[in-house]
Amino acid sequence: MATPTSTAETEPKWPELLGSNNWEGLLDPLNLHLRTLILRCGDFIQATYDSFNNDKNSLYCGSSRYGKSSFFHKVMLDNPTHYTVASFLYATARVSVPEAFLLHSLSRESWDRESNWIGYIAVTSDERTKALGRREIYIVWRGTTRDLEWINVFGAAPESATGLLSAKSLSELNKNSDGGSSSSSDEEDDERRPKVMKGWLTIYTSDDPNSPFTKTSARTQVLNRIKSLLHLYRDESPSVVLVGHSLGASLSILSAFDLVENGVTDVPVTAIVFGSPQVGNKAFNERFNKFPNLKVLHVKNVIDIIPHYPGRLLGYEYTGVELVIDTRKSPSLKDSKNPSDWHNLQAMLHVVAGWNGDGGKFEMKVKRSLALVNKSCEFLKDEYHVPGSWWVEKNRGMVRREDGEWVLDAPDEEDLPVPEQD
């Protein structure tokens, strides 16, 4: 939802925008074309928040309000015909997780008792692909909007990520261990083994044989669908961009690593994330950095507390290249003391649109509606007269029947949750 106000800059080649040179010379000052890409990725993520049904009174709580065919039109994405939704992604968890991430209907007749819609895979349309000369594939993970309570209750303990390693990598890792016969407790203490936060791994790898939506884990859904798309578009210069905010950012980094670790090594695979918690330990980062086609750009608000969680004391490290911004630079935002505002995605996108470096003056470089900041918060100054949290369903989804009764409206047939085909 951003339009460049100037096109004077030379456009870097697509691999450069995806970090082939680790974004050298593109971050300070922030290159206009990279700025536009970052904002597009943010808008893809915002679409998951705008479409997620979080009303526990609804039979469809935890699903997308909009179906694949009309998804980008209904979330009012700029240029919705440039992209098509190839797949929806669903997740479950073998253990209890905070409601900030997985929500379920109060009704016993709900669409699914254990699964949640967790994001989608989108591709550039045929027409857009011809215009660009490449096929762009996006994996978009849903995160959390304002509720930060999960940081205190989500599993912060590091857990071995060897289950994500290819057979070849696992064999090499075991050979480097003491005799290859370490006990399970010794394995967990082995600093050479990549580890990631248990919470991320649980949601990414859990399945539910009883659910038609999560018979396979989110991990399996992504690996299978992306490899299929890369084969389908093998002659169209494909690339894979993973995007997410908050918990979704962590899943983006984790799944980007998983894709490349398990064979996607011949195309660019880049995660562009916002407000990401730390994902893994030193061994995870070292393994991550071995792949030349695998990159991460992390847009981080300097006062946001979430990127510092779970913390170095537990062995976690930051992953990727950082674009550090500061929401306090914008003259349009309140001097908020609310950590949720510091972590708000639309606030970060607003600042990206006007960011000119830590020492530069905040000045909008692309045309982007200021009102978007208040989609799910009240961070804009009152003088702009934009209501807070204004993106809501009309009448909270209630409709009046012919008999005069008010009831929750049922989705259109095209918007009903439908299991993805294997």
Side-chain angles (χ1 to χ4, degrees), residues 46-53 63-66 71 75 117 391:
Q46 185 64 44
T48 67
Y49 294 143
D50 293 347
S51 58
F52 184 61
N53 187 334
S63 70
S64 171
R65 293 185 183 274
Y66 313 131
F71 184 82
V75 297
W117 179 71
W391 182 271

Side-chain angles (χ1 to χ4, degrees), residues 41 157-158 265 311 358:
C41 292
T265 56
D358 187 52

